[in-house]
Amino acid sequence: MRKIERYDPLKIERIASHYAEILADLGEDPTRDGLLKTPERVAKSLQFLTHGYDLKPEEILRSAMFKEEYSQMVVVKDIEVYSMCEHHLLPFFGKAHIAYIPNGHIVGLSKIPRVVEAYSRRLQVQERLTNEIRDCIQKTLAPLGVAVVIECKHLCMSMRGIQKQNSVTTTSAFTGAFANERTRSEFLTLITASLD
Ligand SMILES: [Zn+2]
């Protein structure tokens, strides 16, 4: 994954000054050695973790659409997801599995993970993330159907609150041909099958 090194210096400075106050409010000394550069590091990190706001997922797909007669299910599975829960500003992370059935057009395979990146690198809830990815692919590529399954661990669940350490949240969203139970179960079989 490309690292975004373009930071908005004004924004960084403002976010950093807020974080210096937060550190003080937490009872810390923001001027001690280990914390001196923390506000700036956090500000840069946050800007990276939300760089999806600057990406245009529909354009990403449109940049690599090809006319093709292939009409079987295309599955891209185990796409890494790193996102931030908008309720607690804590990470949630895991995997996305995505399929579509072409209707005259296919899309460059590397673009599917980039769509995931564009929507996950924002403040999110897993449910909306799932739907946004589905809707973007459906609207842009107009396939016969789209399937999205996302499995994530949420630090806001495991580090705080109910502390169910290892629970995984699964969300799914389907369109078109995936309303058909046989098509959907073919997809589910493909994403659970391993290559070994
Ligand atoms: Zn949360």
Side-chain angles (χ1 to χ4, degrees):
M1 213 66 73
R2 299 148 306 113
K3 192 153 188 258
I4 307 294
E5 293 289 6
R6 279 177 302 116
Y7 295 108
D8 175 340
L10 254 168
K11 232 189 245 179
I12 295 294
E13 206 183 302
R14 276 181 22 215
I15 297 172
S17 80
H18 295 314
Y19 265 100
E21 287 176 37
I22 290 171
L23 287 173
D25 284 343
L26 291 173
E28 266 291 357
D29 171 11
T31 64
R32 75 175 167 85
D33 229 31
L35 292 181
L36 208 51
K37 290 204 147 182
T38 297
E40 188 189 327
R41 277 190 294 258
V42 174
K44 285 184 171 170
S45 154
L46 265 184
Q47 197 168 341
F48 175 75
L49 296 176
T50 57
H51 76 262
Y53 291 121
D54 299 326
L55 300 175
K56 298 192 170 61
E58 283 155 20
E59 282 179 23
I60 290 170
L61 284 183
R62 260 187 234 113
S63 72
M65 278 172 55
F66 309 101
K67 244 182 150 62
E68 197 60 63
E69 285 317 306
Y70 186 82
S71 59
Q72 297 303 307
M73 192 182 297
V74 177
V75 182
V76 184
K77 67 177 194 173
D78 295 331
I79 302 166
E80 285 191 356
V81 174
Y82 292 96
S83 192
M84 296 273 283
C85 145
E86 69 182 14
H87 300 139
H88 303 96
L89 297 191
L90 285 170
F92 65 92
F93 57 94
K95 296 205 157 138
H97 316 288
I98 296 175
Y100 71 95
I101 301 172
N103 186 18
H105 287 90
I106 56 167
V107 67
L109 289 178
S110 67
K111 304 301 174 192
I112 303 267
R114 293 206 55 215
V115 168
V116 173
E117 172 91 352
Y119 286 113
S120 57
R121 297 301 196 169
R122 304 176 184 198
L123 302 186
Q124 272 290 6
V125 296
Q126 188 177 326
E127 294 87 341
R128 187 172 70 237
L129 173 63
T130 309
N131 285 345
E132 283 179 342
I133 294 167
R134 174 200 61 187
D135 293 345
C136 174
I137 298 171
Q138 182 61 50
K139 198 174 128 204
T140 312
L141 196 60
L144 297 175
V146 178
V148 180
V149 167
I150 299 181
E151 309 169 288
C152 282
K153 287 188 178 181
H154 292 246
L155 288 192
C156 64
M157 282 180 77
S158 51
M159 283 183 79
R160 55 171 294 289
I162 56 173
Q163 302 204 344
K164 282 204 185 302
Q165 297 291 343
N166 276 308
S167 65
V168 172
T169 304
T170 304
T171 47
S172 58
F174 304 99
T175 64
F178 289 92
N180 179 303
E181 205 179 314
R182 269 185 52 201
T183 309
R184 208 165 56 229
S185 77
E186 184 191 339
F187 165 65
L188 295 173
T189 305
L190 284 169
I191 66 171
T192 47
S194 97
L195 292 175
D196 333 306

